[in-house]
Amino acid sequence: MIDLEVLKSHLTTKWVGRDRLFLKQTDSTNNLAKNPPHVLVHGSLVLTEYQLKGRGQSDKSWFGDAYKNLYFSIYTKPLKIEGLFLLSLISALSIVESIRSYHLFHPLMNQMRFKWPNDVYVGKYKIAGILTENIFQGGLLKATVVGTGWNINQDQFPINLQDKASSLRLLFPENWIREELLARYLNFFEHYYTLWESQPNELVRILNSHLLGYNMPVRVVVDGLKLPGVYTCLGVDVQGHLRVLNKEKEVDTFTYEQIRIYPV
């Protein structure tokens, strides 16, 4: 089981993860964060060992065993609305940076990217997914919950997922300590969240350098329809929108709900 004292010993944050809500199991940490048993504060960490109804974008289910992986949400109270979707990408970036901070000499370390809009990949394998949800009260933004499912020590997957999903344990020959990984993630999350508030252009530059398909030819699907031809992915902007260059050399901009891209 997750040892909260070990987690705390690795934290260097000022506010992310300092307040913690832990349950052995819950339907989903995002739901728990939206309906907590006590008041949450900016940066509260909601953590569980097992999600009964873990989900991702478009209500897709999330597969994972108990006591092997990381299932958590961060409760935030943003001071601005501009670029809220970038918080999903900050979570993805924090996962990538957490793994890279171990400085492993392994060829797959150079194949870590996040895929628009909310998945983290190592090579062809998905290792994490993010679901960000906003809470409104009286028409005003009250909070944003950034939920993450991260495969750490998962050692087997259903047949239908074996060529799509994997875990750190299966990909890298390391003894992954979940508390230390989570602490590293939280440390990076606070750093990049602060950058989002103060230097969004610099954050976007860093995000794009880790985005799968950035500055590459891609196929584009908009609102479920595959568009003809090949586009060039220009990356995200400070609004959290994805930009692509079309065949007429014009820039088209889309929200995360609208567009999916696939490198050629």
Side-chain angles (χ1 to χ4, degrees):
M1 187 178 298
I2 287 283
D3 188 325
L4 296 181
E5 288 303 312
V6 173
L7 170 64
K8 182 180 177 181
S9 70
H10 289 285
L11 277 181
T12 60
T13 59
K14 294 180 179 179
W15 51 273
V16 173
R18 292 298 174 178
D19 176 69
R20 294 174 289 274
L21 171 58
F22 173 75
L23 292 181
K24 286 185 180 180
Q25 71 174 34
T26 186
D27 58 350
S28 85
T29 56
N30 268 26
N31 286 347
L32 183 58
K34 291 187 293 183
N35 300 281
H38 61 74
V39 175
L40 300 181
V41 299
H42 183 52
S44 288
L45 171 67
V46 179
L47 180 65
T48 190
E49 284 286 9
Y50 185 63
Q51 294 189 122
L52 299 172
K53 297 179 180 179
R55 56 196 171 89
Q57 292 285 352
S58 304
D59 282 331
K60 293 180 180 178
S61 60
W62 181 265
F63 175 84
D65 292 335
Y67 306 106
K68 293 182 179 180
N69 306 303
L70 287 171
Y71 313 108
F72 60 93
S73 298
I74 300 177
Y75 182 92
T76 68
K77 303 186 76 171
L79 297 178
K80 65 176 186 178
I81 294 181
E82 182 184 44
L84 269 180
F85 179 70
L86 292 179
L87 297 186
S88 286
L89 300 184
I90 286 174
S91 181
L93 176 61
S94 299
I95 289 173
V96 171
E97 295 285 30
S98 298
I99 300 169
R100 284 185 174 159
S101 68
Y102 283 83
H103 301 293
L104 302 179
F105 293 100
H106 194 288
L108 286 177
M109 293 297 286
N110 294 321
Q111 297 184 39
M112 283 192 296
R113 295 287 186 274
F114 45 83
K115 181 181 178 182
W116 178 270
N118 64 324
D119 297 325
V120 180
Y121 277 76
V122 178
K124 70 174 185 177
Y125 296 105
K126 178 177 176 178
I127 63 166
I130 296 109
L131 177 64
T132 298
E133 298 181 285
N134 297 315
I135 304 171
F136 289 92
Q137 190 173 66
L140 300 175
L141 180 68
K142 177 184 177 183
T144 296
V145 177
V146 184
T148 300
W150 186 0
N151 297 331
I152 309 297
N153 292 316
Q154 186 75 30
D155 51 9
Q156 57 183 343
F157 289 87
I159 293 177
N160 65 313
L161 294 178
Q162 288 177 3
D163 63 341
K164 302 175 183 177
S166 193
S167 67
L168 294 187
R169 177 179 178 179
L170 293 176
L171 293 171
F172 301 104
E174 279 292 309
N175 178 30
W176 296 100
I177 300 172
R178 292 183 300 154
E179 294 88 346
E180 183 177 340
L181 262 175
L182 180 55
R184 292 190 186 204
Y185 166 95
L186 296 172
N187 295 337
F188 279 114
F189 187 92
E190 180 172 287
H191 169 72
Y192 288 118
Y193 187 100
T194 302
L195 207 60
W196 172 66
E197 290 183 316
S198 60
Q199 301 179 59
N201 287 309
E202 174 62 11
L203 172 65
V204 163
R205 183 191 67 79
I206 297 170
L207 289 172
N208 283 329
S209 70
H210 293 80
L211 178 65
L212 183 65
Y214 177 60
N215 268 344
M216 294 173 58
V218 294
R219 299 287 184 183
V220 172
V221 175
V222 176
D223 295 329
L225 299 176
K226 183 178 179 180
L227 302 187
V230 176
Y231 293 69
T232 299
C233 175
L234 301 180
V236 297
D237 60 20
V238 294
Q239 303 288 339
H241 299 152
L242 188 71
R243 300 175 304 131
V244 295
L245 187 69
N246 63 32
K247 57 187 177 182
E248 284 79 30
K249 303 302 180 183
E250 299 170 334
V251 177
D252 295 329
T253 302
F254 300 93
T255 65
Y256 79 92
E257 299 103 328
Q258 293 176 300
I259 187 171
R260 299 294 182 268
I261 59 171
Y262 303 92
V264 175

